[in-house]
Amino acid sequence: MPRAVAVLFAIAISASPAAAQAVWDARELDGGGAEFRLGNDEGAAVILACQLGGISAGFEFPGSLEATGSAQVRGVPGERHNIAVAPVNDRVIRVTTGRGIEVLLALLRNTANLFVSTGGARTSFEVFGSAPLVSQCLERQDEEIRDPTRRFRSFR
């Protein structure tokens, strides 16, 4: 059974004192993994599960979603991307391809705000300062998976 740990992953403010930093909730998982959640005021969340065998990602919404196989994610500043998703339940979707996870991780590293639209719902997250969390997530994986030359087989 996973051991729940009440941990807040806060990143020190380095730019401007007025700049808001993303604060992720963390929960340890069996086998050396961790689940990270970044919520917003609407009750939605970005979810990253970082384990030795790889990274899983998804989004939770406060209300029910319509059936869908894709989500549109956009970072500001940044570009819009369509990523493949699948329902976990009526309020949670998971990213289903390695390419989608790579896109999400890049947006978390390089943008200040993340906008998500899927299943008739829209939400946004302040993700500024999430780059160290993404690095920490990648470091939890097996050496072979962390290899930057490795390509995900799911989209080749």
Side-chain angles (χ1 to χ4, degrees), residues 19-144:
Q21 297 282 316
V23 178
W24 293 76
D25 292 322
R27 178 175 69 104
E28 293 296 319
L29 302 174
D30 285 340
E35 179 184 274
F36 299 98
R37 289 177 166 263
L38 175 65
N40 65 16
D41 292 339
E42 301 166 359
V46 178
I47 305 165
L48 292 177
C50 310
Q51 299 174 307
L52 291 176
I55 298 172
S56 300
F59 301 96
E60 182 174 21
F61 291 83
S64 295
L65 298 170
E66 298 169 4
T68 186
S70 69
Q72 186 177 85
V73 293
R74 179 175 178 243
V76 176
E79 302 174 353
R80 255 179 254 261
H81 300 273
N82 286 317
I83 59 174
V85 297
V88 173
N89 59 41
D90 67 330
R91 299 181 325 113
V92 178
I93 57 169
R94 66 179 173 84
V95 180
T96 59
T97 64
R99 175 73 179 125
I101 292 171
E102 286 177 346
V103 164
L104 179 58
L105 294 177
L107 291 173
L108 292 172
R109 278 188 187 140
N110 302 316
T111 63
N113 296 292
L114 176 68
F115 294 84
V116 181
S117 177
T118 187
R122 296 176 195 267
T123 194
S124 64
F125 303 92
E126 293 179 11
V127 299
F128 177 75
S130 294
L133 177 109
V134 171
S135 295
Q136 180 183 349
C137 189
L138 291 169
E139 289 169 4
R140 288 182 177 267
Q141 297 176 62
D142 288 327
E143 187 71 29
E144 181 180 314

